[in-house]
């Protein structure tokens, strides 16, 4: 089992920045690909970004590419999502998830067996 906990959400104006953190405990953090997903009110949960266990390979949703940066610190068992140039449409509950490295299934929700409880990000216009 891997236990995940997000932090860093909040209210920010459009154009602002936030950094989300995801702290992991349990099984070896460095073995897992770590992803961020988000769910806006009335919408389905969607993929945001993923970083492989090596900390080097990353993938992003087109909607956040160039604005968000995912990273991880395996020594601290923590993953981060730096969000810049935030837009009102980024408003959502953000979830971190742990799974396996995959260049094919990285955006598929069911591919990740472990999830955090989520943190709210609200971007005002």
């Amino acid at each position: 089992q891997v236990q995940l906990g997000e932090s860093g959400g909040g209210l920010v104006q459009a154009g602002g920045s936030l950094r989300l953190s995801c702290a992991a405990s349990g099984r070896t953090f460095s073995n897992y690909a770590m992803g961020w997903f988000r769910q806006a009110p009335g919408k389905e949960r969607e993929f945001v970004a993923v970083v492989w266990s090596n900390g080097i390979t990353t993938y992003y949703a087109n909607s956040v590419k160039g604005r968000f940066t995912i990273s991880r610190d395996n020594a601290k068992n923590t993953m981060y999502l730096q969000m810049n140039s935030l837009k009102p449409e980024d408003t959502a509950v953000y979830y971190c998830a742990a799974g396996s490295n995959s260049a094919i299934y990285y955006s598929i929700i069911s591919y990740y067996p472990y999830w955090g409880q989520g943190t709210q990000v609200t971007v005002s216009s």
Side-chain angles (χ1 to χ4, degrees), residues 94-123:
Y94 283 70
Y95 298 90
C96 66
S100 301
N101 296 337
S102 173
I104 299 175
Y105 304 115
Y106 62 85
S107 65
I108 306 301
I109 292 171
S110 60
Y111 193 69
Y112 294 82
Y114 305 110
W115 290 83
Q117 80 287 352
T119 186
Q120 176 70 48
V121 171
T122 303
V123 184

Side-chain angles (χ1 to χ4, degrees), residues 24 43 57 70 91 110:
K43 295 188 177 182
T57 304
I70 191 170
T91 294
S110 60

Side-chain angles (χ1 to χ4, degrees), residues 33-45:
M34 297 296 298
W36 287 100
F37 291 74
R38 67 185 182 185
Q39 188 166 15
K43 295 188 177 182
E44 294 186 352
R45 193 170 299 189

Side-chain angles (χ1 to χ4, degrees), residues 12-20 36 38 46-49 58-71 80-92 94 121-124:
V12 64
Q13 289 188 332
S17 298
L18 279 176
R19 188 175 83 154
L20 305 183
W36 287 100
R38 67 185 182 185
E46 64 177 7
F47 168 77
V48 175
T58 58
Y59 296 96
Y60 294 90
N62 288 334
S63 58
V64 306
K65 201 172 294 184
R67 299 188 298 123
F68 291 10
T69 302
I70 191 170
S71 62
Y80 306 98
L81 186 68
Q82 179 66 43
M83 305 186 294
N84 299 329
S85 303
L86 282 162
K87 305 175 181 180
E89 50 263 44
D90 294 318
T91 294
Y94 283 70
V121 171
T122 303
V123 184
S124 62

Side-chain angles (χ1 to χ4, degrees), residues 1-4 24-29 31-32 77 98 113-115:
Q1 287 283 346
V2 177
Q3 292 77 44
L4 303 174
S25 62
R27 291 189 176 179
T28 307
F29 174 77
N31 288 346
Y32 293 92
N77 288 356
Y114 305 110
W115 290 83

